[in-house]
Amino acid sequence: MKKSTILYLALLWVYLGSFPVSAYAQMVKGEIVCDDGPLPGVTIHIQALQQGTVTDLNGMFSLQLKETGEYDVRISYIGYQEISRSVRITSGINDLGTIFLEPDELLLGEVVISGTMAPSQRKAYDIKKASIAMMDIVASDAVGKLPDRNAAEAVQRI
């Protein structure tokens, strides 16, 4: 085969698009910030396309899309008000700019942590805290839960 024929076939192959190219021709990008600066981990989601992303440590995001059109972009982060914006996606880069999130005081209330402790273990901790000497105390029911075979091994563990 002649070199000119090979060159012609290679050019025809490129022209017809046989080389793999990205199907994503549109990109949405922007930055999410609050009063304290950039917000990492903010969720950006386009429900109609079932696509989404999260912001990086600098509050920046970019999302590559297959389709153009008008879509609702939902931006959400725990403790902040959710934002929904209608965005027209065109081919190329669509920059949403800097988006400011407001804290949502009603979203988070108080956090209550509660736990239980066996009464004998609680009593052992109280004795240890009240002691002026350095000591370690283990309740009898806690010794029973240790994987030791006898009392000598349990004492060594303490």
Side-chain angles (χ1 to χ4, degrees):
M1 204 182 260
K2 293 183 180 179
K3 288 184 180 180
S4 61
T5 307
I6 294 174
L7 181 61
Y8 176 75
L9 289 175
L11 289 173
L12 182 63
W13 189 29
V14 171
Y15 178 75
L16 294 177
S18 296
F19 282 120
V21 293
S22 176
Y24 298 98
Q26 298 73 240
M27 184 171 75
V28 177
K29 70 175 196 164
E31 179 183 20
I32 311 292
V33 297
C34 69
D35 287 333
D36 298 328
L39 284 172
V42 177
T43 304
I44 297 91
H45 191 259
I46 300 175
Q47 182 68 31
L49 298 176
Q50 294 295 314
Q51 284 185 276
T53 188
V54 295
T55 57
D56 61 11
L57 293 175
N58 299 320
M60 305 295 286
F61 72 91
S62 64
L63 178 63
Q64 293 187 346
L65 305 171
K66 291 182 181 178
E67 302 175 22
T68 61
E70 185 104 12
Y71 299 105
D72 286 329
V73 177
R74 194 181 80 200
I75 302 165
S76 60
Y77 191 65
I78 295 175
Y80 289 83
Q81 295 175 359
E82 185 175 299
I83 294 176
S84 184
R85 286 191 176 176
S86 180
V87 176
R88 178 147 191 80
I89 307 296
T90 59
S91 61
I93 298 174
N94 299 276
D95 192 358
L96 299 182
T98 302
I99 299 169
F100 187 79
L101 289 184
E102 295 281 338
D104 190 1
E105 287 83 20
L106 299 177
L107 187 62
L108 294 177
E110 66 182 53
V111 176
V112 177
I113 299 173
S114 63
T116 60
M117 185 182 302
S120 59
Q121 188 67 32
R122 184 180 313 140
K123 185 176 179 183
Y125 284 140
D126 290 340
I127 292 170
K128 184 176 177 179
K129 281 194 277 185
S131 174
I132 58 172
M134 289 180 42
M135 64 171 45
D136 199 1
I137 298 176
V138 178
S140 60
D141 57 345
V143 172
K145 294 178 184 176
L146 294 175
D148 301 315
R149 290 178 282 167
N150 56 42
E153 289 180 2
V155 170
Q156 286 177 350
R157 183 179 299 273
I158 297 170

